[in-house]
Every structure is written in structure tokens, then in C-alpha cells.
Amino acid sequence: MNIFRLIGDMSHLLAIVLLLLKMWKTRSCAGISGKSQILFALVFATRYLDLFTAFISAYNSTMKLFFISTSLVTVYLMYFKFRATYDANHDTFRLEFLVVPVGGLAFLVNHNFSPLEILWTFSIYLESVAILPQLFMMSKTGEAETITSHYLFALGSYRALYILNWVFRYYFEGFFDLIAVVAGCVQTILYCDFFYLYITKVLKGKKLSLPA
Amino acid sequence: DETSAGKDEL
């Protein structure tokens, strides 16, 4: 554990808490892509199956349980409790266009051809593109609530901080996981346009609106 | 094992 990894995890945690708070306080999930949230639930469910096969640390297990449970709660809130506020008309990204190619790639490019390892790889690849339905939705509506922008900034920062963590681990521990690093870089790059808008607009007190 | 090197990460 290094400082980048720790801040990255905390940023990830903050993102999820922000999203849940937004939904709970406003009793609404307007502006949030349910499809991205389904993908995140799938990401956690397929990645953390090792909860049952390996114990790494109390921190590790607690965080995994937190991510799995909160992602399920988020999906529940969106599709059941606050379903009336869900903006399905703008959430039209086709999930099969992500899940099918990512599944195929996980079969072809992995560290070890075993069920758990393929599911872990699937999860890493899927996470890297899971935000696309959300970004697609924002590009259709042309805007995002400020709290949603904070959520996305925290969520995007998490993987960017993991990249610094991997640089650190490469130099000081000789650790290098090509699959995680490439997918993490792809994931971070997808957020760059949003990061730019966040810094130039939201941090200056303006609402995030996309150029027409 | 070797393939689980990254699994301490979340």
C-alpha cells in the first residue's frame, strides 16, 4: 500500500458515497446512467469472487464487500425505489456492444486461462469502458448536475491515482501487471475530456454544460 | 500464485 493507492481507493469510496447521497437526498437518480451502474455492479461481482478463495487483508475484504454491496444498492435505487426519476430516454447506450467484445477479449488476452482469472480480466477490461454509457448520456443531454460532476471527478481520479501507484510499484517493488496498467490507462483517458470541463467550469462555480 | 500478483489491488 502506498499513498497513491490509498488516496485512489478513498477517491473511489468518495465517488460511491457521493452518488448514493445525491440520490438519497434528492430522491432522484436524474442524470445518472443506470447502464453504467449495472456495468459497475457486474465489474465488482466478477472481480471480487476471490473473496471466497483468498484472504489478503481485512482492508481488502472490507472494501470489496463495500463495493459489491453499494453497487447493488445503487442499481436497486435506480431501477426500483427511484425508478420514476430515471431518465431512460437518454440512457440508450447498448450494453451488449461493450460486454460482448470485452468478454471475448478477456478469453483471448489473460494471465491464465482459468475461470476466476478470466472473470478478473473481464472485470478489469469492463471497468475501463463502464463509464461510456454515462458519458454518452451526458453528451445527449448536454449537461450534468454539479453533484454528478463531483461524482464523476472522484470516480475518474481513482484510476488516474492507480496509475501513479503502478509507477511507484514498478520502481520500488518491481511489480508490473500489463493488463491492469493498459486497461487503467484506457479508463483514465476516457475521462480526460470530462476532467478538462470539470476544471474549467465546475471548479469555477459554473454548471457543467457541454459545448454544442 | 504468480497470476494473482495484482489481486491485492481493488
Side-chain angles (χ1 to χ4, degrees):
Chain A
M1 178 69 79
N2 56 61
I3 189 73
F4 305 113
R5 162 82 202 281
L6 184 64
I7 304 175
D9 284 350
M10 291 306 113
S11 180
H12 198 183
L13 207 69
L14 175 71
I16 291 167
V17 170
L18 275 178
L19 179 62
L20 286 172
L21 274 178
K22 171 216 145 54
M23 289 198 287
W24 197 253
K25 294 277 180 194
T26 62
R27 318 299 289 174
S28 162
C29 54
I32 303 297
S33 163
K35 297 196 168 176
S36 276
Q37 296 307 318
I38 287 176
L39 290 182
F40 285 127
L42 190 58
V43 162
F44 295 135
T46 50
R47 187 176 309 171
Y48 298 153
L49 290 169
D50 63 349
L51 264 173
F52 303 103
T53 61
F55 178 79
I56 294 159
S57 67
Y59 172 84
N60 189 276
S61 301
T62 309
M63 294 289 271
K64 284 175 175 172
L65 286 171
F66 178 86
F67 288 138
I68 294 175
S69 51
T70 49
S71 68
L72 294 175
V73 168
T74 304
V75 170
Y76 164 75
L77 290 179
M78 292 201 68
Y79 285 93
F80 295 94
K81 195 166 179 61
F82 301 139
R83 189 184 181 90
T85 63
Y86 168 47
D87 193 6
N89 291 336
H90 288 121
D91 194 14
T92 51
F93 198 97
R94 299 274 295 272
L95 288 191
E96 60 270 34
F97 291 163
L98 293 180
V99 174
V100 172
V102 158
L105 191 62
F107 260 91
L108 292 173
V109 184
N110 52 57
H111 290 309
N112 183 17
F113 200 78
S114 65
L116 268 188
E117 191 66 26
I118 291 170
L119 284 170
W120 178 85
T121 312
F122 169 77
S123 158
I124 292 286
Y125 293 154
L126 187 63
E127 186 189 345
S128 71
V129 293
I131 202 61
L132 285 176
Q134 178 69 53
L135 297 175
F136 183 67
M137 186 176 184
M138 282 163 56
S139 75
K140 285 189 94 178
T141 61
E143 58 177 27
E145 285 176 57
T146 300
I147 184 74
T148 305
S149 324
H150 294 327
Y151 159 70
L152 279 170
F153 185 75
L155 191 64
S157 306
Y158 133 73
R159 223 46 177 175
L161 285 157
Y162 257 69
I163 294 176
L164 299 178
N165 153 63
W166 291 321
V167 171
F168 181 94
R169 290 191 71 178
Y170 177 74
Y171 280 106
F172 294 100
E173 300 170 19
F175 168 86
F176 182 68
D177 185 328
L178 186 63
I179 287 177
V181 171
V182 171
C185 289
V186 169
Q187 186 169 337
T188 305
I189 289 166
L190 292 183
Y191 283 87
C192 282
D193 182 50
F194 166 79
F195 284 153
Y196 174 77
L197 291 171
Y198 184 84
I199 291 164
T200 54
K201 293 201 170 170
V202 181
L203 289 187
K204 290 179 181 161
K206 285 182 270 183
K207 187 173 170 159
L208 191 116
S209 56
L210 276 69
Chain B
D1 60 297
E2 286 300 314
T3 58
S4 333
K7 308 296 192 287
D8 61 318
E9 295 183 345
L10 294 162

